[in-house]
Amino acid sequence: MQKEKPFYTYRDIEHWEGNWELIDGVPYLLASPSFEHQYVVGQLHLALASYFQARGCHVILAPFDVQLDPEEPERMAKTVVQPDLSVVCRVEQIGNRRMKGAPDLVVEVLSPSTALRDRNQKYYLYEKYGVHEYWIVDPSNRTIEVLSWQDGRFQQRAVFGPSDELVSFWQPDLTVSLAPVFPPEESDV
């Protein structure tokens, strides 16, 4: 007989040490990010902040809790994530300690410890809760995959490299030059 895995809620993990995500009742400790990871997050934050602030939206850096199901009582939430960057245009979603509901845009920067979770579990969560656009940044391959939500699922997809201008499906006038987003490769230094 297989032993059942323990099931957790936000109430269980809220005082644990470190940064934790909770996906369908399963807790995940977030590792300390690398220089490359933080460099990419910082450059994307710079690229997105002025565009979205001019539209009354907020660009939020991790660690900041995102409770995807806003109907679940806060302390009983089973799914609370910390995207690397979240863009939120409905400011009423933002509380002092977390936001409730799906962000409009989510950016996740892959690392060896999170890549599978970002590409699988989080992909399906963001699709399920209606994130307008999901950017998956792969620093190792120096690419950004853009997934756009329509009619209940991610339907449009494009992959951009360091010599490209990323163009958003959700906000077609949003373009990001990717040359400065990735740190110089060792051969570039």
Side-chain angles (χ1 to χ4, degrees):
M1 184 170 171
Q2 190 175 21
K3 187 176 177 181
E4 211 173 289
K5 290 183 179 180
F7 176 84
Y8 295 88
T9 65
Y10 188 75
R11 177 184 60 204
D12 298 316
I13 70 163
E14 70 182 319
H15 297 295
W16 291 0
E17 211 159 300
N19 289 321
W20 290 85
E21 289 185 316
L22 190 60
I23 299 177
D24 295 326
V26 178
Y28 297 93
L29 177 62
L30 300 176
S32 183
S34 68
F35 164 78
E36 182 178 54
H37 181 279
Q38 292 302 88
Y39 184 95
V40 170
V41 169
Q43 292 301 313
L44 285 172
H45 183 267
L46 288 171
L48 298 175
S50 63
Y51 174 89
F52 282 108
Q53 286 172 352
R55 286 150 183 82
C57 304
H58 298 282
V59 181
I60 304 170
L61 291 157
F64 190 73
D65 288 341
V66 174
Q67 179 183 330
L68 290 168
D69 183 355
E71 303 306 316
E72 190 74 42
E74 196 167 294
R75 297 191 73 225
M76 298 307 292
K78 299 178 297 281
T79 301
V80 180
V81 294
Q82 293 185 358
D84 291 312
L85 288 171
S86 300
V87 174
V88 183
C89 297
R90 296 170 306 264
V91 294
E92 66 275 4
Q93 289 181 265
I94 303 170
N96 191 43
R97 294 189 42 159
R98 76 168 63 177
M99 70 165 287
K100 284 186 160 194
D104 295 289
L105 168 67
V106 168
V107 177
E108 294 284 10
V109 179
L110 302 179
S111 65
S113 64
T114 66
L116 286 175
R117 193 165 51 251
D118 290 340
R119 287 195 178 277
N120 292 305
Q121 290 138 302
K122 285 187 171 182
Y123 171 95
Y124 292 113
L125 279 174
Y126 297 149
E127 183 178 63
K128 174 183 176 180
Y129 287 102
V131 170
H132 294 297
E133 199 158 87
Y134 180 27
W135 295 7
I136 301 173
V137 183
D138 184 345
S140 297
N141 291 310
R142 300 167 69 82
T143 61
I144 299 180
E145 182 176 359
V146 176
L147 301 152
S148 181
W149 191 88
Q150 274 182 324
D151 302 323
R153 50 188 298 245
F154 289 129
Q155 293 197 18
Q156 293 180 295
R157 176 184 174 272
V159 179
F160 300 91
S163 61
D164 295 328
E165 292 271 327
L166 182 153
V167 180
S168 169
F169 293 110
W170 170 54
Q171 298 286 323
D173 60 334
L174 169 62
T175 60
V176 177
S177 174
L178 296 187
V181 168
F182 297 101
E185 293 182 288
E186 289 184 30
S187 60
D188 295 344
V189 179

